[in-house]
């Protein structure tokens, strides 16, 4: 039996050092609970709206010097931070597990993603954002260049479920492009964010350049939006909609990664046993508390029996516990509220006729918020878990008669964040992927293919959000494109009717030549 966590592995002194980095003058605190035990992990200092205003002012001052330091300096600092993240990975893993209740393996995925993102933007920012020449309206007569200016202060609102990975995916491209950041951390993920931030501060990022605040979302989150020149939000669709509306009222941009009800399709030519093994991970990783995890499985009836049997068997074999090592496969839900939500979704489905193939109950013997990985069939549209995001270790399996039916079922959702296709033919998988309404589609993988592809954009369609993180797109959202044109003096552009009359023939001929040469 895996060893269980009794006391936080993070010392009180170390915790005090980390929370001291919060911008907070309120004198009030909030208790943060350790999911594995239900005990108080630490008391988190809370920020005020005035703290946000002060942090924003200091960050704007620091941003001027950070921008002036240039790409080479920022690259060197970020690469040092990359190394420190890896050197400090064991402490980061301990904090992540203790604060979120996830397994060691799931925690490592976060640290790995954070380091990958840091390296990527450190080495790519200069190339993506360098000033480039563009074709002028009248070649030779005019020269045109496009460059980029940092927006200034970026507001980042980060959830509790992937506090390091989702934090770094927004904060680091903002810093790499020459901006400052004021970040609102969720109380439950603040310690992880502060510990990872400390690696960047120790590497040379000015403390004022990246401020972290915490507190009530309505007060502190709103203050962050009001102080920023651009906002990144990750969280629920209802809250994200409000953030987007407030940002729009100030005429600033926002990227919003919101909810998902992500489908997985198993086609008739897939290996059902292999597909089941990968699908189990895609469903129950981080106990389903991941925006891109799978909640719906549509399996072709020709392989449905074998796939379902293998899926249930593998689910039953998952090792659940609170060990601070790699001996467990699934951990705990993070809070009582999440346990209540998951329980209600399962109870509602069962009461209305769904069948539980495995799981379906809480495990208080393991800890206060543990819930067994659960597989349901016979779920209908009147059940809460049919169309609404559960955000927990619950999946619905349904048979379909054809790939056409599977595609239609996958797309029959208000959400469009991630999707997955399992098939024996990559060509078939690519063809079907083109028909799926989702920001990312994984073939023969659940979500990690796209999630780990830092050079590719990540984001949602429909109610799953707007904007993209990662890739060049993740940098370009934080800058303003500026066009600078100059007259070469070879020919003066017409300014009077007489000058127009003389030059219209030449200008018309220019357009005809450009078309003949197929120039843009």
């Amino acid at each position: 039996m895996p060893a269980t966590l009794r006391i936080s592995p993070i010392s009180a002194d170390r915790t005090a050092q980390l929370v001291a980095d919060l911008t907070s003058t309120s004198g009030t605190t909030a208790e943060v609970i350790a999911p594995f035990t239900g005990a108080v992990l630490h008391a988190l200092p809370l920020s005020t709206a005035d703290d946000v205003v002060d942090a924003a002012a200091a960050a704007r001052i620091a941003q001027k010097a950070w921008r002036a330091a240039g790409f080479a300096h920022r690259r060197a600092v970020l690469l040092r931070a990359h190394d420190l993240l890896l050197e400090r990975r064991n402490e980061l893993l301990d904090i992540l597990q203790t604060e979120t209740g996830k397994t060691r393996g799931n925690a490592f995925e976060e640290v790995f993603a954070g380091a990958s993102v840091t390296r990527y933007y450190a080495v790519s920012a200069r190339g993506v954002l360098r000033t480039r020449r563009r074709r002028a309206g009248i070649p030779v007569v005019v020269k045109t260049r496009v460059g980029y200016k940092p927006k200034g202060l970026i507001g980042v609102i980060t959830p509790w479920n992937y506090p390091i990975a989702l934090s770094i995916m927004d904060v680091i491209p903002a810093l790499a492009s020459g901006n400052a950041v004021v970040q609102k951390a969720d109380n439950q993920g603040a310690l992880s964010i502060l510990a990872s931030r400390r690696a960047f501060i120790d590497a040379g990022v000015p403390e004022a350049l990246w401020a972290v605040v915490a507190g009530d979302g309505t007060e502190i989150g709103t203050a962050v939006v009001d102080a920023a020149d651009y906002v990144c939000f990750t969280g629920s669709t209802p809250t994200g909609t409000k953030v987007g509306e407030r940002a729009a009222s100030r005429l600033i941009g926002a990227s919003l990664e919101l909810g998902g009800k992500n489908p997985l399709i198993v086609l008739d030519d897939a290996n059902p046993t292999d597909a089941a093994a990968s699908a189990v991970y895609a469903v129950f990783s981080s106990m389903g508390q991941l925006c891109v995890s799978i909640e719906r499985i549509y399996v072709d009836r020709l392989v449905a029996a074998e796939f379902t049997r293998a899926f249930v068997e593998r689910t039953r074999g998952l090792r659940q516990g609170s060990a601070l090592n790699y001996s467990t496969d699934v951990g705990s839900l993070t809070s009582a509220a999440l346990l209540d939500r998951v329980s209600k979704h399962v109870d509602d489905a069962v009461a209305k006729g769904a069948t539980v193939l495995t799981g379906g109950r809480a495990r208080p013997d393991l800890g206060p918020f543990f819930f067994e990985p659960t597989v349901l069939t016979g779920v209908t549209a009147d059940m809460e878990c049919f169309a609404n995001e559960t955000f927990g270790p619950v999946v619905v399996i349904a048979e379909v008669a054809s790939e056409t039916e599977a595609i239609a079922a996958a797309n029959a959702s208000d959400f469009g964040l991630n999707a997955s296709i399992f098939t024996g033919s990559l060509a078939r998988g690519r063809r079907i992927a083109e028909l799926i309404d989702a920001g990312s589609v994984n073939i023969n993988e659940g979500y990690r293919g796209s999630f780990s592809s830092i050079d590719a954009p990540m984001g949602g369609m429909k109610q799953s959000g707007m904007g993209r993180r990662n890739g060049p797109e993740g940098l370009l959202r934080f800058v303003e494109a500026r066009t600078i044109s100059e007259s070469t003096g070879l020919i003066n552009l017409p300014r009077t009717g007489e000058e127009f009359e003389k030059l219209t023939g030449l200008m018309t001929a220019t357009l005809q030549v450009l078309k003949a040469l197929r120039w843009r």
Side-chain angles (χ1 to χ4, degrees), residues 491-508:
I491 299 176
N492 287 325
L493 294 175
R495 293 156 292 190
T496 66
E498 183 180 359
E499 290 174 350
F500 267 105
E501 185 176 18
K502 291 179 180 179
L503 289 175
T504 52
L506 175 61
M507 294 170 72
T508 300

Side-chain angles (χ1 to χ4, degrees), residues 22 30-42 44 46 95-102 110 158-164 184-194 213-215 289 332-338 369:
L22 273 169
E31 290 185 345
V32 176
I33 303 300
F36 283 150
T37 65
V40 175
L41 180 59
H42 63 90
L44 183 73
L46 299 181
I95 294 174
L96 271 170
Q97 284 196 268
T98 306
E99 200 169 38
T100 65
K102 61 180 60 184
E110 279 211 58
T158 307
W160 50 266
N161 60 325
Y162 269 66
I164 289 181
K184 181 199 172 296
D186 187 280
N187 293 359
Q188 195 65 45
L191 204 62
S192 297
I193 288 173
L194 292 167
V213 294
Q289 300 170 122
S332 170
L333 290 166
T334 304
S335 69
L338 284 160
F369 310 138

Side-chain angles (χ1 to χ4, degrees), residues 67 128-134 144-150 476 479-484:
R67 178 192 178 192
V128 173
L129 300 179
R130 69 180 177 85
T131 299
R132 290 176 170 84
R133 288 188 61 175
R134 298 285 182 93
T144 298
R145 296 175 293 121
V146 173
Y148 300 95
K149 177 182 180 295
L476 292 171
V479 294
E480 299 285 3
R482 296 193 300 173
T483 299
I484 299 175

Side-chain angles (χ1 to χ4, degrees), residues 77-325:
V77 170
L78 295 180
L79 289 178
R80 283 197 296 271
H82 167 276
D83 294 343
L84 289 177
L85 286 175
L86 296 180
E87 288 177 15
R88 299 174 185 182
R89 66 184 180 278
N90 287 329
E91 180 187 64
L92 294 174
L93 296 178
D94 285 345
I95 294 174
L96 271 170
Q97 284 196 268
T98 306
E99 200 169 38
T100 65
K102 61 180 60 184
T103 65
R104 197 75 165 180
N106 295 151
F108 177 77
E109 282 188 334
E110 279 211 58
V111 176
F112 180 88
S116 296
V117 169
T118 302
R119 183 193 70 254
Y120 174 80
Y121 284 116
V123 301
S124 66
R126 182 197 289 269
V128 173
L129 300 179
R130 69 180 177 85
T131 299
R132 290 176 170 84
R133 288 188 61 175
R134 298 285 182 93
R135 191 190 66 77
I138 306 177
V140 183
V141 178
V142 174
K143 290 183 179 180
T144 298
R145 296 175 293 121
V146 173
Y148 300 95
K149 177 182 180 295
K151 287 183 180 290
L153 179 65
I154 309 303
V156 176
I157 302 175
T158 307
W160 50 266
N161 60 325
Y162 269 66
I164 289 181
L166 296 179
S167 168
I168 287 178
M169 285 178 177
D170 286 336
V171 172
I172 301 315
L175 297 182
S177 51
N179 294 281
V181 171
V182 173
Q183 179 181 17
K184 181 199 172 296
D186 187 280
N187 293 359
Q188 195 65 45
L191 204 62
S192 297
I193 288 173
L194 292 167
S196 58
R197 171 186 175 272
R198 177 46 55 182
F200 288 87
I201 303 306
D202 291 345
V205 171
E207 292 207 39
L209 189 74
W210 176 2
V212 179
V213 294
D216 175 70
T218 301
E219 178 188 3
I220 305 306
T222 297
V224 168
V225 175
D226 289 347
D229 300 311
Y230 185 93
V231 179
C232 305
F233 173 85
T234 306
S236 71
T237 297
T239 303
T241 301
K242 293 177 182 177
V243 170
E245 290 172 348
R246 194 169 188 95
S249 73
R250 298 188 53 240
L251 297 181
I252 64 170
S255 57
L256 311 171
E257 188 191 304
L258 309 179
K261 190 70 177 176
N262 306 302
L264 182 149
I265 296 172
V266 183
L267 297 173
D268 57 3
D269 62 350
N271 181 311
T273 303
D274 288 347
S278 294
V280 166
Y281 187 88
V283 170
F284 299 119
S285 173
S286 289
M287 288 290 281
Q289 300 170 122
L290 173 60
C291 53
V292 293
S293 66
I294 299 299
E295 294 198 9
R296 302 179 285 149
I297 297 178
Y298 302 105
V299 54
D300 191 283
R301 63 186 177 187
L302 295 179
V303 295
E306 188 175 352
F307 171 85
T308 303
R309 183 169 53 252
F311 188 94
V312 170
E313 180 181 347
R314 192 170 183 94
T315 299
R316 286 175 177 159
L318 294 173
R319 300 167 297 175
Q320 189 168 22
S322 57
L324 294 180
N325 55 44

Side-chain angles (χ1 to χ4, degrees), residues 308-389:
T308 303
R309 183 169 53 252
F311 188 94
V312 170
E313 180 181 347
R314 192 170 183 94
T315 299
R316 286 175 177 159
L318 294 173
R319 300 167 297 175
Q320 189 168 22
S322 57
L324 294 180
N325 55 44
Y326 295 96
S327 63
T328 58
D329 305 310
V330 287
S332 170
L333 290 166
T334 304
S335 69
L338 284 160
L339 177 64
D340 182 63
R341 178 183 177 86
V342 170
S343 298
K344 285 181 176 178
H345 271 213
V346 173
D347 291 346
D348 171 77
V350 171
K352 294 174 180 175
T355 299
V356 177
L357 298 184
T358 189
R361 63 191 180 98
R363 291 293 304 274
D365 54 311
L366 297 177
F369 310 138
F370 281 83
F371 196 93
E372 288 182 337
T374 300
V375 183
L376 300 176
T377 60
V379 170
T380 54
D382 62 328
M383 300 176 187
E384 281 295 313
C385 66
F386 180 83
N388 298 312
E389 185 177 31

